[in-house]
C-alpha cells in the first residue's frame, strides 16, 4: 500500500479474435473523425505516442500494444462522454486485453452488440441482410419504425420510455445515412414475404413503406431488394430470422463479419468458424431461392395496388 506496483506491459492484440480488434478500431476511428482530428493531430496533442500506432489500432492490426489508459486518453481527447458509446469501447478493450478471465459486457450486452453493428456498417463495403420479421432498419420509413418501436412499449409510455424511443429513432435514422454518398456500401436486403404482408402500423404506414422499397428497387444503384417467398421455406428454411453479413475492404483483420439477432431478445456476432460457415450458407441459400429483381418489383407493385385499392 502507498507504493506503485510494477508497470504491466500492455498486451498485444494478436491473441484477440480479429473481430474484436476491428470493432475497437472502427469505433475509435469514428470518434476521431467526429472530433474533427487527423491521426497526426491526435499524436501532436498527446493522445497517442505516434500517428502510425494510432493507424494500426484503428485498422485492427495485431502488431500493436496498448492498454486501457491509452484508449481512455483517446476517448477523453475526442470528447466521448460517459455512456453507452464509451462503455462499448472500454468493454472491447477489456476483452482484447483479458487473459484467462475475460471481462464481457454486462447487462447492456445486447445494446453494445447493436452499437458495434453501427460501427461495422459504417466501414463495410458490402452488406447482405435477411429479415424475416420486419422491414430492414436501413430501409424503414419514419412511420414504420415508430410502429415497430412502439410495440414492445405498449402500456409503458411513461418515465424514460418516451426518451428511449426517440433515441432509437434517431440512431436508426443516422444508420440509414450510410447508404448515401460516394462511399456508400453495396446493400442487398432480402425480405421475407410475410414481413411485407404484415400490416405494421396499418394500411397507410405499410403503403408508404412499400412505395419506398419499390423506389429503392427501381432506382438500383447500391441498394438491391429481393423478396423471399413463403413457399421457399419448404426447400430452404433460414437458419435464423435475422442475419447480416458485412464485408470489409480493410486488408487487415477479418474480411467479413456476421451479425444475428432475435427480435427484442438477443443480438450477437457469430465468430465460431463452423457456425459462421453455416450462417453464410443459409444466407446464400436464402438469396438463391429469392425472387429476381423483376419478380420482386412485380410483387411489390401488387402489394401497393392492394393497399391503394378500396378498403
Amino acid at each position: 500500500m502507498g507504493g506503485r506496483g510494477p508497470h504491466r506491459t500492455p498486451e498485444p492484440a494478436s491473441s484477440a479474435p480479429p473481430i474484436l480488434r476491428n470493432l475497437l478500431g472502427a469505433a475509435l476511428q469514428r470518434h476521431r473523425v467526429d472530433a474533427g482530428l487527423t491521426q497526426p493531430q491526435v499524436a501532436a496533442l498527446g493522445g497517442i505516442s505516434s500517428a502510425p500506432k494510432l493507424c494500426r489500432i484503428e485498422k485492427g492490426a495485431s502488431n500493436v500494444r496498448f492498454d486501457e489508459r491509452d484508449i481512455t486518453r483517446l476517448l477523453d481527447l475526442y470528447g466521448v462522454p460517459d455512456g453507452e458509446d464509451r462503455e462499448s469501447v472500454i468493454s472491447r478493450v477489456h476483452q482484447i486485453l483479458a487473459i484467462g478471465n475475460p471481462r464481457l459486457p454486462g447487462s447492456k450486452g445486447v445494446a453494445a452488440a447493436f452499437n458495434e453493428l453501427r460501427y461495422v456498417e459504417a466501414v463495410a463495403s458490402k452488406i447482405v441482410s435477411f429479415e424475416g420479421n420486419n422491414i430492414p432498419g436501413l430501409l424503414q420509413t419514419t412511420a414504420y419504425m415508430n410502429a415497430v418501436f412502439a410495440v414492445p412499449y405498449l402500456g409503458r409510455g411513461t418515465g424514460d420510455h418516451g426518451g428511449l424511443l426517440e433515441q432509437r429513432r434517431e440512431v436508426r435514422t443516422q444508420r440509414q445515412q450510410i447508404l448515401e454518398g460516394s462511399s456508400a456500401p453495396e446493400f442487398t436486403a432480402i425480405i421475407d414475404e410475410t414481413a411485407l404482408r404484415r400490416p405494421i402500423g396499418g394500411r397507410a404506414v405499410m403503403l408508404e413503406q412499400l412505395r419506398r422499397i419499390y423506389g429503392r428497387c427501381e432506382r438500383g444503384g447500391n441498394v438491391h431488394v429481393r423478396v423471399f417467398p413463403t413457399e421457399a421455406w419448404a426447400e430452404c428454411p433460414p437458419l435464423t430470422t435475422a442475419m447480416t453479413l458485412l464485408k470489409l475492404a480493410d486488408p487487415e483483420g477479418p474480411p467479413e463479419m456476421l451479425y444475428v439477432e432475435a427480435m427484442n431478445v438477443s443480438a450477437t456476432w457469430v465468430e465460431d468458424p463452423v457456425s459462421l460457415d453455416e450462417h453464410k450458407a443459409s444466407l446464400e441459400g436464402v438469396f438463391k431461392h429469392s425472387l429476381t429483381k423483376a419478380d420482386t418489383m412485380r410483387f411489390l407493385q401488387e402489394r401497393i395496388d392492394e393497399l391503394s385499392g378500396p378498403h
Side-chain angles (χ1 to χ4, degrees), residues 80-111:
V80 180
D82 290 337
E84 189 174 292
D85 280 358
R86 190 180 183 99
E87 180 180 312
S88 179
V89 173
I90 297 302
S91 293
R92 287 292 154 244
V93 176
H94 290 165
Q95 287 179 290
I96 291 172
L97 300 181
I99 301 176
N101 184 28
R103 295 176 59 182
L104 300 176
S107 61
K108 294 187 178 180
V110 173

PDB file of all heavy atoms in Angstrom, residues 80-111:
ATOM      1  N   VAL A  80     -15.565  12.012 -25.913  1.00  0.00           N
ATOM      2  CA  VAL A  80     -16.620  10.996 -25.801  1.00  0.00           C
ATOM      3  C   VAL A  80     -17.082  10.938 -24.349  1.00  0.00           C
ATOM      4  O   VAL A  80     -16.306  10.578 -23.461  1.00  0.00           O
ATOM      5  CB  VAL A  80     -16.116   9.615 -26.248  1.00  0.00           C
ATOM      6  CG1 VAL A  80     -17.235   8.580 -26.132  1.00  0.00           C
ATOM      7  CG2 VAL A  80     -15.596   9.683 -27.678  1.00  0.00           C
ATOM      8  N   PRO A  81     -18.333  11.281 -24.065  1.00  0.00           N
ATOM      9  CA  PRO A  81     -18.807  11.330 -22.669  1.00  0.00           C
ATOM     10  C   PRO A  81     -19.107   9.938 -22.121  1.00  0.00           C
ATOM     11  O   PRO A  81     -19.148   8.952 -22.868  1.00  0.00           O
ATOM     12  CB  PRO A  81     -20.090  12.156 -22.779  1.00  0.00           C
ATOM     13  CG  PRO A  81     -20.616  11.809 -24.145  1.00  0.00           C
ATOM     14  CD  PRO A  81     -19.390  11.659 -25.023  1.00  0.00           C
ATOM     15  N   ASP A  82     -19.295   9.873 -20.812  1.00  0.00           N
ATOM     16  CA  ASP A  82     -19.724   8.627 -20.192  1.00  0.00           C
ATOM     17  C   ASP A  82     -21.067   8.226 -20.783  1.00  0.00           C
ATOM     18  O   ASP A  82     -21.932   9.068 -21.022  1.00  0.00           O
ATOM     19  CB  ASP A  82     -19.867   8.795 -18.671  1.00  0.00           C
ATOM     20  CG  ASP A  82     -18.521   8.971 -17.979  1.00  0.00           C
ATOM     21  OD1 ASP A  82     -17.511   8.534 -18.555  1.00  0.00           O
ATOM     22  OD2 ASP A  82     -18.489   9.561 -16.886  1.00  0.00           O
ATOM     23  N   GLY A  83     -21.226   6.939 -21.026  1.00  0.00           N
ATOM     24  CA  GLY A  83     -22.460   6.471 -21.639  1.00  0.00           C
ATOM     25  C   GLY A  83     -22.211   5.213 -22.439  1.00  0.00           C
ATOM     26  O   GLY A  83     -21.147   4.591 -22.347  1.00  0.00           O
ATOM     27  N   GLU A  84     -23.196   4.835 -23.243  1.00  0.00           N
ATOM     28  CA  GLU A  84     -23.141   3.565 -23.961  1.00  0.00           C
ATOM     29  C   GLU A  84     -21.979   3.488 -24.951  1.00  0.00           C
ATOM     30  O   GLU A  84     -21.313   2.469 -25.059  1.00  0.00           O
ATOM     31  CB  GLU A  84     -24.465   3.344 -24.693  1.00  0.00           C
ATOM     32  CG  GLU A  84     -24.617   1.967 -25.308  1.00  0.00           C
ATOM     33  CD  GLU A  84     -25.998   1.775 -25.887  1.00  0.00           C
ATOM     34  OE1 GLU A  84     -26.967   1.726 -25.109  1.00  0.00           O
ATOM     35  OE2 GLU A  84     -26.103   1.685 -27.119  1.00  0.00           O
ATOM     36  N   ASP A  85     -21.731   4.570 -25.698  1.00  0.00           N
ATOM     37  CA  ASP A  85     -20.652   4.559 -26.677  1.00  0.00           C
ATOM     38  C   ASP A  85     -19.299   4.319 -26.001  1.00  0.00           C
ATOM     39  O   ASP A  85     -18.499   3.497 -26.458  1.00  0.00           O
ATOM     40  CB  ASP A  85     -20.611   5.881 -27.450  1.00  0.00           C
ATOM     41  CG  ASP A  85     -21.644   5.927 -28.554  1.00  0.00           C
ATOM     42  OD1 ASP A  85     -22.347   4.917 -28.737  1.00  0.00           O
ATOM     43  OD2 ASP A  85     -21.754   6.965 -29.225  1.00  0.00           O
ATOM     44  N   ARG A  86     -19.054   5.055 -24.939  1.00  0.00           N
ATOM     45  CA  ARG A  86     -17.771   4.918 -24.232  1.00  0.00           C
ATOM     46  C   ARG A  86     -17.673   3.532 -23.594  1.00  0.00           C
ATOM     47  O   ARG A  86     -16.615   2.892 -23.652  1.00  0.00           O
ATOM     48  CB  ARG A  86     -17.649   6.014 -23.172  1.00  0.00           C
ATOM     49  CG  ARG A  86     -16.253   6.119 -22.547  1.00  0.00           C
ATOM     50  CD  ARG A  86     -16.218   7.223 -21.495  1.00  0.00           C
ATOM     51  NE  ARG A  86     -14.889   7.390 -20.951  1.00  0.00           N
ATOM     52  CZ  ARG A  86     -14.020   8.324 -21.324  1.00  0.00           C
ATOM     53  NH1 ARG A  86     -14.369   9.187 -22.265  1.00  0.00           N
ATOM     54  NH2 ARG A  86     -12.823   8.413 -20.782  1.00  0.00           N
ATOM     55  N   GLU A  87     -18.760   3.073 -22.988  1.00  0.00           N
ATOM     56  CA  GLU A  87     -18.760   1.760 -22.340  1.00  0.00           C
ATOM     57  C   GLU A  87     -18.484   0.643 -23.339  1.00  0.00           C
ATOM     58  O   GLU A  87     -17.778  -0.326 -23.040  1.00  0.00           O
ATOM     59  CB  GLU A  87     -20.115   1.520 -21.668  1.00  0.00           C
ATOM     60  CG  GLU A  87     -20.225   0.176 -20.968  1.00  0.00           C
ATOM     61  CD  GLU A  87     -21.581  -0.008 -20.324  1.00  0.00           C
ATOM     62  OE1 GLU A  87     -22.034   0.919 -19.626  1.00  0.00           O
ATOM     63  OE2 GLU A  87     -22.182  -1.080 -20.522  1.00  0.00           O
ATOM     64  N   SER A  88     -19.031   0.780 -24.542  1.00  0.00           N
ATOM     65  CA  SER A  88     -18.817  -0.230 -25.570  1.00  0.00           C
ATOM     66  C   SER A  88     -17.341  -0.322 -25.950  1.00  0.00           C
ATOM     67  O   SER A  88     -16.792  -1.414 -26.109  1.00  0.00           O
ATOM     68  CB  SER A  88     -19.662   0.093 -26.808  1.00  0.00           C
ATOM     69  OG  SER A  88     -19.451  -0.860 -27.828  1.00  0.00           O
ATOM     70  N   VAL A  89     -16.691   0.834 -26.096  1.00  0.00           N
ATOM     71  CA  VAL A  89     -15.269   0.847 -26.443  1.00  0.00           C
ATOM     72  C   VAL A  89     -14.429   0.222 -25.324  1.00  0.00           C
ATOM     73  O   VAL A  89     -13.570  -0.626 -25.577  1.00  0.00           O
ATOM     74  CB  VAL A  89     -14.801   2.287 -26.725  1.00  0.00           C
ATOM     75  CG1 VAL A  89     -13.275   2.322 -26.905  1.00  0.00           C
ATOM     76  CG2 VAL A  89     -15.475   2.840 -27.972  1.00  0.00           C
ATOM     77  N   ILE A  90     -14.668   0.633 -24.093  1.00  0.00           N
ATOM     78  CA  ILE A  90     -13.898   0.110 -22.970  1.00  0.00           C
ATOM     79  C   ILE A  90     -14.132  -1.388 -22.801  1.00  0.00           C
ATOM     80  O   ILE A  90     -13.204  -2.143 -22.470  1.00  0.00           O
ATOM     81  CB  ILE A  90     -14.257   0.854 -21.667  1.00  0.00           C
ATOM     82  CG1 ILE A  90     -13.888   2.347 -21.792  1.00  0.00           C
ATOM     83  CG2 ILE A  90     -13.522   0.242 -20.477  1.00  0.00           C
ATOM     84  CD1 ILE A  90     -12.428   2.603 -22.098  1.00  0.00           C
ATOM     85  N   SER A  91     -15.350  -1.847 -23.038  1.00  0.00           N
ATOM     86  CA  SER A  91     -15.638  -3.283 -22.958  1.00  0.00           C
ATOM     87  C   SER A  91     -14.798  -4.066 -23.956  1.00  0.00           C
ATOM     88  O   SER A  91     -14.292  -5.148 -23.657  1.00  0.00           O
ATOM     89  CB  SER A  91     -17.131  -3.545 -23.206  1.00  0.00           C
ATOM     90  OG  SER A  91     -17.931  -3.017 -22.179  1.00  0.00           O
ATOM     91  N   ARG A  92     -14.641  -3.509 -25.156  1.00  0.00           N
ATOM     92  CA  ARG A  92     -13.811  -4.178 -26.169  1.00  0.00           C
ATOM     93  C   ARG A  92     -12.352  -4.226 -25.716  1.00  0.00           C
ATOM     94  O   ARG A  92     -11.655  -5.219 -25.926  1.00  0.00           O
ATOM     95  CB  ARG A  92     -13.934  -3.440 -27.500  1.00  0.00           C
ATOM     96  CG  ARG A  92     -15.257  -3.647 -28.184  1.00  0.00           C
ATOM     97  CD  ARG A  92     -15.413  -5.092 -28.665  1.00  0.00           C
ATOM     98  NE  ARG A  92     -16.831  -5.415 -28.749  1.00  0.00           N
ATOM     99  CZ  ARG A  92     -17.428  -6.330 -28.023  1.00  0.00           C
ATOM    100  NH1 ARG A  92     -16.738  -7.022 -27.136  1.00  0.00           N
ATOM    101  NH2 ARG A  92     -18.711  -6.565 -28.157  1.00  0.00           N
ATOM    102  N   VAL A  93     -11.878  -3.147 -25.100  1.00  0.00           N
ATOM    103  CA  VAL A  93     -10.501  -3.134 -24.602  1.00  0.00           C
ATOM    104  C   VAL A  93     -10.319  -4.233 -23.565  1.00  0.00           C
ATOM    105  O   VAL A  93      -9.322  -4.966 -23.570  1.00  0.00           O
ATOM    106  CB  VAL A  93     -10.143  -1.757 -24.008  1.00  0.00           C
ATOM    107  CG1 VAL A  93      -8.741  -1.786 -23.407  1.00  0.00           C
ATOM    108  CG2 VAL A  93     -10.228  -0.679 -25.073  1.00  0.00           C
ATOM    109  N   HIS A  94     -11.289  -4.353 -22.650  1.00  0.00           N
ATOM    110  CA  HIS A  94     -11.212  -5.393 -21.619  1.00  0.00           C
ATOM    111  C   HIS A  94     -11.150  -6.776 -22.249  1.00  0.00           C
ATOM    112  O   HIS A  94     -10.366  -7.630 -21.819  1.00  0.00           O
ATOM    113  CB  HIS A  94     -12.434  -5.311 -20.702  1.00  0.00           C
ATOM    114  CG  HIS A  94     -12.438  -4.106 -19.815  1.00  0.00           C
ATOM    115  ND1 HIS A  94     -13.568  -3.676 -19.144  1.00  0.00           N
ATOM    116  CD2 HIS A  94     -11.459  -3.224 -19.493  1.00  0.00           C
ATOM    117  CE1 HIS A  94     -13.272  -2.598 -18.439  1.00  0.00           C
ATOM    118  NE2 HIS A  94     -12.004  -2.298 -18.645  1.00  0.00           N
ATOM    119  N   GLN A  95     -11.954  -7.006 -23.283  1.00  0.00           N
ATOM    120  CA  GLN A  95     -11.968  -8.313 -23.933  1.00  0.00           C
ATOM    121  C   GLN A  95     -10.636  -8.612 -24.616  1.00  0.00           C
ATOM    122  O   GLN A  95     -10.126  -9.726 -24.547  1.00  0.00           O
ATOM    123  CB  GLN A  95     -13.104  -8.373 -24.952  1.00  0.00           C
ATOM    124  CG  GLN A  95     -14.487  -8.466 -24.322  1.00  0.00           C
ATOM    125  CD  GLN A  95     -15.560  -8.509 -25.385  1.00  0.00           C
ATOM    126  OE1 GLN A  95     -15.811  -7.519 -26.077  1.00  0.00           O
ATOM    127  NE2 GLN A  95     -16.201  -9.647 -25.526  1.00  0.00           N
ATOM    128  N   ILE A  96     -10.095  -7.602 -25.282  1.00  0.00           N
ATOM    129  CA  ILE A  96      -8.851  -7.806 -26.026  1.00  0.00           C
ATOM    130  C   ILE A  96      -7.677  -8.058 -25.089  1.00  0.00           C
ATOM    131  O   ILE A  96      -6.812  -8.904 -25.351  1.00  0.00           O
ATOM    132  CB  ILE A  96      -8.569  -6.586 -26.928  1.00  0.00           C
ATOM    133  CG1 ILE A  96      -9.603  -6.531 -28.065  1.00  0.00           C
ATOM    134  CG2 ILE A  96      -7.154  -6.628 -27.496  1.00  0.00           C
ATOM    135  CD1 ILE A  96      -9.545  -5.276 -28.895  1.00  0.00           C
ATOM    136  N   LEU A  97      -7.652  -7.342 -23.964  1.00  0.00           N
ATOM    137  CA  LEU A  97      -6.509  -7.442 -23.052  1.00  0.00           C
ATOM    138  C   LEU A  97      -6.643  -8.566 -22.029  1.00  0.00           C
ATOM    139  O   LEU A  97      -5.664  -8.933 -21.381  1.00  0.00           O
ATOM    140  CB  LEU A  97      -6.320  -6.112 -22.303  1.00  0.00           C
ATOM    141  CG  LEU A  97      -6.044  -4.876 -23.158  1.00  0.00           C
ATOM    142  CD1 LEU A  97      -5.851  -3.664 -22.266  1.00  0.00           C
ATOM    143  CD2 LEU A  97      -4.829  -5.093 -24.037  1.00  0.00           C
ATOM    144  N   ALA A  98      -7.863  -9.089 -21.862  1.00  0.00           N
ATOM    145  CA  ALA A  98      -8.087 -10.094 -20.822  1.00  0.00           C
ATOM    146  C   ALA A  98      -7.278 -11.363 -21.089  1.00  0.00           C
ATOM    147  O   ALA A  98      -7.110 -11.792 -22.221  1.00  0.00           O
ATOM    148  CB  ALA A  98      -9.569 -10.432 -20.739  1.00  0.00           C
ATOM    149  N   ILE A  99      -6.768 -11.961 -20.006  1.00  0.00           N
ATOM    150  CA  ILE A  99      -6.035 -13.229 -20.090  1.00  0.00           C
ATOM    151  C   ILE A  99      -6.673 -14.198 -19.104  1.00  0.00           C
ATOM    152  O   ILE A  99      -6.588 -14.008 -17.894  1.00  0.00           O
ATOM    153  CB  ILE A  99      -4.549 -13.054 -19.740  1.00  0.00           C
ATOM    154  CG1 ILE A  99      -3.897 -12.053 -20.700  1.00  0.00           C
ATOM    155  CG2 ILE A  99      -3.819 -14.377 -19.789  1.00  0.00           C
ATOM    156  CD1 ILE A  99      -2.459 -11.758 -20.370  1.00  0.00           C
ATOM    157  N   GLY A 100      -7.329 -15.221 -19.629  1.00  0.00           N
ATOM    158  CA  GLY A 100      -7.887 -16.250 -18.774  1.00  0.00           C
ATOM    159  C   GLY A 100      -9.252 -15.940 -18.202  1.00  0.00           C
ATOM    160  O   GLY A 100     -10.053 -16.832 -17.982  1.00  0.00           O
ATOM    161  N   ASN A 101      -9.544 -14.676 -17.925  1.00  0.00           N
ATOM    162  CA  ASN A 101     -10.825 -14.333 -17.308  1.00  0.00           C
ATOM    163  C   ASN A 101     -11.384 -13.088 -17.978  1.00  0.00           C
ATOM    164  O   ASN A 101     -11.336 -11.988 -17.431  1.00  0.00           O
ATOM    165  CB  ASN A 101     -10.655 -14.080 -15.804  1.00  0.00           C
ATOM    166  CG  ASN A 101     -11.988 -13.806 -15.126  1.00  0.00           C
ATOM    167  OD1 ASN A 101     -13.022 -14.278 -15.579  1.00  0.00           O
ATOM    168  ND2 ASN A 101     -11.953 -13.065 -14.029  1.00  0.00           N
ATOM    169  N   PRO A 102     -11.897 -13.248 -19.205  1.00  0.00           N
ATOM    170  CA  PRO A 102     -12.366 -12.085 -19.960  1.00  0.00           C
ATOM    171  C   PRO A 102     -13.468 -11.342 -19.226  1.00  0.00           C
ATOM    172  O   PRO A 102     -14.311 -11.937 -18.573  1.00  0.00           O
ATOM    173  CB  PRO A 102     -12.901 -12.713 -21.260  1.00  0.00           C
ATOM    174  CG  PRO A 102     -12.290 -14.070 -21.328  1.00  0.00           C
ATOM    175  CD  PRO A 102     -12.118 -14.504 -19.903  1.00  0.00           C
ATOM    176  N   ARG A 103     -13.436 -10.021 -19.345  1.00  0.00           N
ATOM    177  CA  ARG A 103     -14.489  -9.184 -18.787  1.00  0.00           C
ATOM    178  C   ARG A 103     -15.464  -8.874 -19.916  1.00  0.00           C
ATOM    179  O   ARG A 103     -15.204  -8.021 -20.769  1.00  0.00           O
ATOM    180  CB  ARG A 103     -13.914  -7.904 -18.206  1.00  0.00           C
ATOM    181  CG  ARG A 103     -13.011  -8.130 -17.008  1.00  0.00           C
ATOM    182  CD  ARG A 103     -12.387  -6.824 -16.530  1.00  0.00           C
ATOM    183  NE  ARG A 103     -13.423  -5.859 -16.149  1.00  0.00           N
ATOM    184  CZ  ARG A 103     -13.139  -4.628 -15.736  1.00  0.00           C
ATOM    185  NH1 ARG A 103     -11.886  -4.218 -15.671  1.00  0.00           N
ATOM    186  NH2 ARG A 103     -14.113  -3.793 -15.395  1.00  0.00           N
ATOM    187  N   LEU A 104     -16.541  -9.583 -19.936  1.00  0.00           N
ATOM    188  CA  LEU A 104     -17.510  -9.420 -21.004  1.00  0.00           C
ATOM    189  C   LEU A 104     -18.506  -8.321 -20.667  1.00  0.00           C
ATOM    190  O   LEU A 104     -18.714  -8.013 -19.497  1.00  0.00           O
ATOM    191  CB  LEU A 104     -18.259 -10.740 -21.229  1.00  0.00           C
ATOM    192  CG  LEU A 104     -17.370 -11.919 -21.612  1.00  0.00           C
ATOM    193  CD1 LEU A 104     -18.215 -13.179 -21.719  1.00  0.00           C
ATOM    194  CD2 LEU A 104     -16.648 -11.659 -22.918  1.00  0.00           C
ATOM    195  N   PRO A 105     -19.135  -7.734 -21.681  1.00  0.00           N
ATOM    196  CA  PRO A 105     -20.136  -6.716 -21.400  1.00  0.00           C
ATOM    197  C   PRO A 105     -21.232  -7.276 -20.514  1.00  0.00           C
ATOM    198  O   PRO A 105     -21.586  -8.449 -20.607  1.00  0.00           O
ATOM    199  CB  PRO A 105     -20.677  -6.365 -22.799  1.00  0.00           C
ATOM    200  CG  PRO A 105     -19.577  -6.744 -23.736  1.00  0.00           C
ATOM    201  CD  PRO A 105     -18.920  -7.933 -23.108  1.00  0.00           C
ATOM    202  N   GLY A 106     -21.782  -6.467 -19.645  1.00  0.00           N
ATOM    203  CA  GLY A 106     -22.774  -6.932 -18.695  1.00  0.00           C
ATOM    204  C   GLY A 106     -24.184  -6.781 -19.195  1.00  0.00           C
ATOM    205  O   GLY A 106     -24.522  -7.244 -20.283  1.00  0.00           O
ATOM    206  N   SER A 107     -25.002  -6.118 -18.410  1.00  0.00           N
ATOM    207  CA  SER A 107     -26.425  -6.056 -18.709  1.00  0.00           C
ATOM    208  C   SER A 107     -26.728  -5.336 -20.005  1.00  0.00           C
ATOM    209  O   SER A 107     -27.808  -5.488 -20.570  1.00  0.00           O
ATOM    210  CB  SER A 107     -27.162  -5.356 -17.557  1.00  0.00           C
ATOM    211  OG  SER A 107     -26.687  -4.031 -17.396  1.00  0.00           O
ATOM    212  N   LYS A 108     -25.764  -4.537 -20.495  1.00  0.00           N
ATOM    213  CA  LYS A 108     -26.011  -3.799 -21.728  1.00  0.00           C
ATOM    214  C   LYS A 108     -25.394  -4.496 -22.931  1.00  0.00           C
ATOM    215  O   LYS A 108     -25.127  -3.893 -23.949  1.00  0.00           O
ATOM    216  CB  LYS A 108     -25.464  -2.371 -21.626  1.00  0.00           C
ATOM    217  CG  LYS A 108     -26.189  -1.510 -20.600  1.00  0.00           C
ATOM    218  CD  LYS A 108     -25.722  -0.076 -20.674  1.00  0.00           C
ATOM    219  CE  LYS A 108     -26.486   0.802 -19.692  1.00  0.00           C
ATOM    220  NZ  LYS A 108     -26.049   2.210 -19.748  1.00  0.00           N
ATOM    221  N   GLY A 109     -25.172  -5.801 -22.813  1.00  0.00           N
ATOM    222  CA  GLY A 109     -24.530  -6.534 -23.886  1.00  0.00           C
ATOM    223  C   GLY A 109     -25.267  -6.458 -25.201  1.00  0.00           C
ATOM    224  O   GLY A 109     -24.670  -6.324 -26.266  1.00  0.00           O
ATOM    225  N   VAL A 110     -26.591  -6.572 -25.174  1.00  0.00           N
ATOM    226  CA  VAL A 110     -27.363  -6.510 -26.410  1.00  0.00           C
ATOM    227  C   VAL A 110     -27.224  -5.144 -27.056  1.00  0.00           C
ATOM    228  O   VAL A 110     -26.995  -5.008 -28.241  1.00  0.00           O
ATOM    229  CB  VAL A 110     -28.848  -6.834 -26.135  1.00  0.00           C
ATOM    230  CG1 VAL A 110     -29.677  -6.597 -27.390  1.00  0.00           C
ATOM    231  CG2 VAL A 110     -28.989  -8.280 -25.675  1.00  0.00           C
ATOM    232  N   ALA A 111     -27.368  -4.083 -26.243  1.00  0.00           N
ATOM    233  CA  ALA A 111     -27.222  -2.730 -26.768  1.00  0.00           C
ATOM    234  C   ALA A 111     -25.824  -2.518 -27.336  1.00  0.00           C
ATOM    235  O   ALA A 111     -25.656  -1.877 -28.360  1.00  0.00           O
ATOM    236  CB  ALA A 111     -27.508  -1.711 -25.666  1.00  0.00           C
TER     237      ALA A 111
END
